[in-house]
Structures are given as structure tokens and as C-alpha cells.
């Protein structure tokens, strides 16, 4: 018997299988966002530059990552996710191979734009795609795929640590190129199936009902979310981008810094999963407000901390505090905006959050160069975080608790 093309496909067995494949792709492809952080001390030493200049390849990576979320998000709305992801795998793998052979930090920075752009396909666009396949469990599904980004940052630095110590950052980049071609590329074609029109129509009807309770137009809400995303991610980038360098400055070495980054990101995975469950119960706005407040508190804990044990603990607390923030933006977009625009609108908001990461990564390095310390950089992050909290609180208060759409989301599913 042939399946009807209009059968509702939300939360089905196929949806969960697709979620598993998407998670694996995310773990492999998202290393483009983290690789340059791990090799930053080696790059700085090899090219003999200051901390701000050594942060430039990361900033270029995040600019590429931001643009990729924006452009690729629109592409999957038009052409579907499988072919776009396959092309991204080829571009990312090729960029690693070329970057490993660059002899200047300027040329490395240019290649990092391509790496960031291609790896972006495995974040916002992949999140937008999986959001089509879930309704009742959309929050946890989005959180799982978003966790692939942090799992990538936790997994690959540990795998590559021996290569970095023995053969250097260039050999590590060659291994990452191989992973793109051997692991990611074949998996992309499993995602060729598209969601039915009936499923999209049901999701749109729920989103339309939820949007009536928000005191902003879709465009205004999207712009507020984007500005809030910049604020939270300038703050978020301080520990994530500079924890390895911070540990080197304190005399603990890059290996300890890489362990703290991994611990931070594993905490972020736990946070994202918990936030996904909360979003299914409370909605995206409330979940985002909770995460933003906890991140700000965690940043305050870094100010008096420079001991080894205490840094491990604070890094874990920071990861547990902030992991669910970025996925919450995607959930809010999907709760209040049409399914056919998911890639573009999620991509735009993620674009803004990544710009925040790029700005924060560079700004923290600049503040370090000007002051000789990361204390002012942490304070800078706290100020930006407070801006984020104010904007999200405004959405919550003006919308009179807009996240209360959860009963409508689950009814009839």
C-alpha cells in the first residue's frame, strides 16, 4: 500500500531516524567553528603575532559562519537540505586542505571564511530542517541537533590533541578534511526526503495562532531577537574563544585549556538538552530568558577565579548555564513564523548570534592587548549580557508571557 504524500509526518519513527543522522552530521561538520580556537596558540607562536591578530582567523571563521547561516538557510528553503549539505562538505574539506598549506596568518584568515561558511550548513540550516519534522517534541529535537555543535567542540579537540602535540596544526587540518569527505558527505544523501505539505500546513496553523499573542510584528520580533543574539553571544564568546589562551597565560598550558573547553562544551550539551525539554513545556521565550540570566551569573564567577580547580568548576558551570540559549532563538522563530520561511528566518537570527561571537572573540583579544588582562574582557561580556536580558525581558513582558503557547502546540498531536 502506498503512503499518502500528505500524511502527517511529525514526531514519527522516520523523524527520529533523521534526527540521529542530523546529529552525526552536526558533530562532524561543526568542527569548522572550533578548530581554529584549539590551534590558536600554535598559530600565534608560528606566525609571531599578538593576541588580537591571532584572534583574527577566528573572527573570519565566525563571519563566514554567520554568512553561511544566512545564505544557506535560504538555500535549503528553496532546494532542500541534502544537496546543500553535500556541497558544504566538499567546500569545508577542500578549505581545510588548502588552509593547512598557507604561510601567512592573512591567507589563513581568508581560508577560515570558507571553512566557517561551509560548516554553517550544519548548524542553523540543519536546525531549521529538523524543526519541520517535530511538533510535540520540537524543542528537544532542535536541542539535540544544536548539541552537535558543542559535541563537535568537545570531541574533536581531544581526538586531535595528540596530532597537535606531535605533528602540528597543519596535520590536524588534513585529518579534518578527510572526515568531511569520508563521514559527512555520504550521510548527507540520507536526508533527501521532504516533509509533506499537510505537515507544514498543520505547523503553520499553530504558529499563526501563537503569533496573535505576541505584541510585535514578525519582522520586529525577528530584529529584536537578532539584537539580543548579538548581546548574548558577545558575552558567550569570552570564555569559549579565549579559555585556551587564558590557561596559557596562567601557566597551565594549552592542553589544560583544551580540557576546560571540552568540559565547558559538554556542560553546554547537557544544558541544551535540558533547555529543549523546558522549551517543550514553557516555550522558547521563557527558556531563553532563563538561559540568559544563568549565563550572566556564570560570567561573574570568572572574575575572582584563576586557580586550576576553580577554573575547571567555573567552566563547567558556564557550560551548564549557557548551552540552551542559541537553540531557543530557533524555537521562538518556529513557534511564531511560517514553516516555509524557517530556513531564512532561523538563518537570519543565527547570523546575528554568530556576528556576536565574531565581535566578542576579537573584542576580548583587543581588550587583552590594551590592558594585559582578561578581567575587563569578562566585564565587557557581562555588560553585553545585560543588554540581551533586557531585550528578552521586553519580549516576555510585552507579549504577556508569549511562551504560553505550549498547550496549543501539543493539542491534537
Amino acid at each position: 500500500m502506498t503512503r499518502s504524500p500528505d500524511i502527517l509526518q511529525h514526531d514519527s519513527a522516520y523523524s527520529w531516524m533523521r534526527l540521529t543522522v542530523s546529529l552525526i552530521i552536526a558533530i562532524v561538520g561543526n568542527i569548522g567553528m572550533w578548530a581554529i580556537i584549539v590551534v590558536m596558540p600554535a598559530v600565534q607562536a608560528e606566525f609571531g603575532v599578538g593576541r588580537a591578530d591571532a584572534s583574527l582567523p577566528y573572527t573570519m571563521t565566525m563571519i563566514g559562519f554567520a554568512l553561511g547561516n544566512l545564505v544557506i538557510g535560504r538555500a535549503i528553503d528553496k532546494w532542500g537540505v541534502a544537496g546543500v549539505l553535500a556541497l558544504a562538505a566538499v567546500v569545508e574539506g577542500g578549505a581545510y586542505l588548502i588552509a593547512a598549506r598557507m604561510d601567512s596568518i592573512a591567507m589563513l584568515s581568508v581560508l577560515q571564511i570558507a571553512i566557517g561558511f561551509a560548516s554553517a550548513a550544519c548548524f542553523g540550516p540543519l536546525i531549521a530542517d529538523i524543526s519541520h519534522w517535530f511538533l510535540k517534541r520540537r524543542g528537544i529535537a532542535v536541542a539535540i541537533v544544536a548539541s552537535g555543535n558543542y559535541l563537535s567542540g568537545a570531541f574533536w579537540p581531544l581526538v586531535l590533541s595528540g596530532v597537535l602535540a606531535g605533528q602540528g596544526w597543519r596535520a590536524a587540518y588534513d585529518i579534518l578534511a578527510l572526515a568531511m569527505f569520508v563521514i559527512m558527505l555520504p550521510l548527507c544523501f540520507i536526508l533527501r526526503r521532504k516533509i509533506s505539505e499537510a505537515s507544514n500546513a498543520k505547523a503553520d496553523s499553530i504558529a499563526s495562532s501563537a503569533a496573535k499573542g505576541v505584541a510585535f510584528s514578525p519582522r520586529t520580533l525577528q530584529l529584536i531577537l537578532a539584537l539580543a543574539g548579538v548581546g548574548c553571544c558577545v558575552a558567550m564568546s569570552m570564555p569559549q574563544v579565549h579559555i585556551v589562551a587564558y590557561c596559557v597565560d596562567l601557566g597551565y598550558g594549552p592542553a589544560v585549556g583544551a580540557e576546560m573547553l571540552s568540559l565547558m562544551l559538554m556542560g553546554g550539551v547537557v544544558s541544551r538538552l535540558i533547555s529543549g525539554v523546558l522549551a517543550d513545556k514553557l516555550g522558547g521565550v521563557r527558556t531563553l530568558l532563563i538561559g540568559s540570566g544563568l549565563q550572566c551569573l556564570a560570567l561573574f564567577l570568572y572574575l575572582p577565579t584563576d586557580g586550576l580547580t576553580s577554573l575547571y568548576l567555573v567552566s563547567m558551570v558556564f557550560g551548564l548555564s549557557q548551552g540552551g540559549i542559541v537553540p531557543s532563538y530557533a524555537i521562538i522563530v518556529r513557534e511564531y513564523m511560517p514553516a516555509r520561511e524557517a530556513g531564512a528566518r532561523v538563518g537570519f537570527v543565527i547570523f546575528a548570534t554568530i556576528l556576536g561571537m565574531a565581535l566578542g572573540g576579537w573584542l576580548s583579544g583587543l581588550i587583552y592587548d590594551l590592558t594585559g588582562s582578561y578581567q575587563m574582557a569578562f566585564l565587557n561580556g557581562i555588560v553585553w549580557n545585560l543588554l540581551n536580558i533586557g531585550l528578552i525581558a521586553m519580549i516576555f513582558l510585552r507579549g504577556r508571557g508569549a511562551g504560553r503557547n505550549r498547550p496549543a502546540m501539543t493539542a491534537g498531536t
Side-chain angles (χ1 to χ4, degrees), residues 121 185 198 254 321 405 409:
L185 184 58
S321 300
N405 67 305
M409 290 289 291

Side-chain angles (χ1 to χ4, degrees), residues 148-166:
N149 179 274
Y150 278 176
L151 287 170
S152 181
F155 172 75
W156 286 103
L158 296 179
V159 170
L160 297 174
S161 60
V163 177
L164 285 168

Side-chain angles (χ1 to χ4, degrees), residues 39-70:
V39 305
M40 186 187 296
V43 168
Q44 181 180 6
E46 178 177 328
F47 294 116
V49 296
R51 187 63 50 80
D53 287 339
S55 301
L56 184 60
Y58 171 79
T59 299
M60 294 298 102
T61 301
M62 300 311 288
I63 289 174
F65 196 77
L67 291 172
N69 275 281
L70 184 65

Side-chain angles (χ1 to χ4, degrees), residues 209-403:
S209 297
K212 294 177 181 178
V214 182
F216 301 102
S217 69
R219 177 174 294 182
T220 300
L221 177 61
Q222 182 171 294
L223 291 175
I224 294 172
L225 289 173
L227 182 57
V230 172
C232 78
C233 288
V234 169
M236 190 183 299
S237 68
M238 174 51 232
Q240 286 188 357
V241 177
H242 289 274
I243 190 64
V244 176
Y246 187 39
C247 286
V248 171
D249 290 346
L250 293 173
Y252 300 128
V256 169
E259 289 176 358
M260 287 187 191
L261 178 60
S262 295
L263 182 64
M264 185 187 302
L265 298 180
M266 287 304 297
V269 172
V270 175
S271 175
R272 286 190 169 176
L273 296 177
I274 294 173
S275 295
V277 174
L278 286 177
D280 284 330
K281 296 181 179 298
L282 303 178
V285 174
R286 285 175 168 170
T287 303
L288 179 54
L289 188 57
I290 291 170
S292 297
L294 291 175
Q295 175 179 268
C296 194
L297 290 175
L299 283 171
F300 273 106
L301 295 177
Y302 272 106
L303 292 174
T305 302
D306 59 8
L308 183 60
T309 301
S310 57
L311 273 174
Y312 273 114
L313 290 173
V314 172
S315 295
M316 181 178 66
V317 170
F318 180 80
L320 290 170
S321 300
Q322 54 77 44
I325 293 176
V326 173
S328 295
Y329 290 108
I331 293 168
I332 294 169
V333 170
R334 290 296 287 115
E335 284 177 345
Y336 304 116
M337 299 178 191
R340 66 181 180 277
E341 301 172 359
R345 291 194 180 273
V346 170
F348 180 81
V349 177
I350 298 298
F351 165 80
T353 66
I354 303 307
L355 283 184
M357 292 292 291
L359 173 62
W362 172 81
L363 192 57
S364 295
L366 177 62
I367 292 172
Y368 175 89
D369 285 343
L370 292 174
T371 65
S373 168
Y374 277 122
Q375 288 293 300
M376 291 302 298
F378 280 117
L379 288 171
N380 175 70
I382 289 169
V383 171
W384 283 90
N385 206 145
L386 291 173
L387 170 65
N388 164 263
I389 292 173
L391 290 169
I392 301 305
M394 180 179 68
I395 294 174
F396 179 76
L397 294 174
R398 286 284 302 276
R400 297 179 181 179

